[in-house]
Amino acid sequence: MIEASTKPANPHGLTGTFNMLSPAARVLVINQFFISCGFTMVVPFLAIYLTKDLGMATALVGLIIGLRSFSSMGMFLVGGTLADRMGARPTIILGCMLRIMGFGLFALSASLPAIIIATLLTGLSAAFFTPAGRSYLAAETAGHRAEAFGLFAIAGNAGNLIGPVIGGMLIAVDFRIVSASACVIFVILALIQVVFLPERVMERSVNSLFQDLARVVRNRRFLIFSIAGALYTMSSLQVTFAMALEAHRVTGRDDSVTLLFIASALCGMAIQVRITRWCRANMTSGQSLGLGFVLAGLCWIPIILAGPFVPTHHTPLPIPQAALWMTPVILSAMILAAGNAMGQPFTMELMPVVGSERMIGTYYGYYSLITGLSAAVGNAAIGAMMRPEIPYLRWMPFVMLMVCSLAGAALLRIMQKRGLLEPNAAA
């Protein structure tokens, strides 16, 4: 039995999946491409920019990256609630405007206060357009959510593929040029929403805001689901931090993160439709999600095993040599991409089951509040545990990430055994 919904007819390939979507859902998928492209032009290079160009300590950089995660995921509850009450379309547009301000500030100033404000604005923008976009897409795709969100993920991976390439070329000039270019992309994206994204009439709550929030907080099985997701999310977001820093350590190249993102994005794009279809045919939604969590944990094994033996390079290596030294990091990124290909679509399919169809935005926001807190604390801890100068201690942050993801998988397995991923389970 599939927990989230009755098994739908599977479309064949990208074209079939895209054609089954409504016009609004197609705009949302296209949005995801541009959002990911603009984001990955800037954020993957942020840690390197702060450590190398601005000379900040790794722990401080980890805290700043964590602030971005917290200000996005931690504020998703606000954005999700706004989407449920004000409507998804205006919330998406508001998010685009905040992202324009954040990237614009990165382009204008390199002072620590400006960097912190820009980081917070960059994260806060996602807190508005991310839950709004996902709740809108979930409402438009009842009955085939995993397939729709699989295509959504492919669009994101395509953006993840192109964004770092553009950023990698521009970072050779100046990080501020990268930020200004990404700012222009979000100006265009905001105009697309105004012109092409229709307003969707959504069922309005008859309860007060506090009554709805209290209902969400009292949902114990959703809390357990969110804790499991938070443990997984600590790994799923590390391409922009722990993996990026490790790639830079072993190559000495600022553009090493470009190769990392290319490998991750190509892997995700190649397997997403097939893996969603295979999971749909062979496993329940909970099993698929749990396997994704396991892969997100096991992905760190190549770095754990190789890290102590791969030397740190302070000057850029030639590209062929850099690619060779990056092999463990690239392998880890590809395994993580496979885990995310399972984890992300089935998270969204199960969310209305353990939460509510009517309040998807609010539930997604609450889920992201919990995962955002874990990301902020986790990134700060990972940054503090980074010991690139001590070979026998390099494995520590990656073992922590592996243990967290596997613990999330174990927690999800307990939920499944107790029937807490079934639609009729008691909250």
Side-chain angles (χ1 to χ4, degrees), residues 147-198:
E147 291 78 8
F149 277 97
L151 182 60
F152 191 76
I154 289 174
N157 279 326
N160 290 342
L161 178 63
I162 295 173
V165 174
I166 299 173
M169 291 187 294
L170 295 178
I171 194 70
V173 181
D174 195 320
F175 178 80
R176 289 173 292 182
I177 299 297
V178 180
S179 300
S181 301
C183 183
V184 172
I185 288 178
F186 276 90
V187 170
I188 296 171
L189 188 63
L191 294 175
I192 290 174
Q193 310 315 299
V194 172
V195 176
F196 295 106
L197 185 65

Side-chain angles (χ1 to χ4, degrees), residues 246-320:
E246 180 67 5
H248 185 265
R249 181 188 75 80
V250 302
T251 65
R253 298 183 64 96
D254 292 349
D255 58 359
S256 59
V257 71
T258 300
L259 180 58
L260 184 65
F261 263 79
I262 289 173
S264 177
L266 284 176
C267 180
M269 292 171 65
I271 67 175
Q272 183 67 70
V273 171
R274 293 180 180 87
I275 207 166
T276 302
R277 187 182 301 140
W278 182 83
C279 289
R280 177 72 79 193
N282 294 280
M283 294 187 292
T284 65
S285 298
Q287 289 171 337
S288 302
L289 185 58
L291 181 56
F293 286 15
V294 170
L295 289 175
L298 298 181
C299 79
W300 299 106
I301 291 177
I303 296 178
I304 291 169
L305 295 178
F309 306 103
V310 178
T312 299
H313 294 96
H314 299 288
T315 56
L317 294 176
I319 291 177

Side-chain angles (χ1 to χ4, degrees), residues 124 282 330 349 373 407 415:
L124 186 61
N282 294 280
I330 292 173
E349 179 156 286
L373 285 169
M415 290 187 70

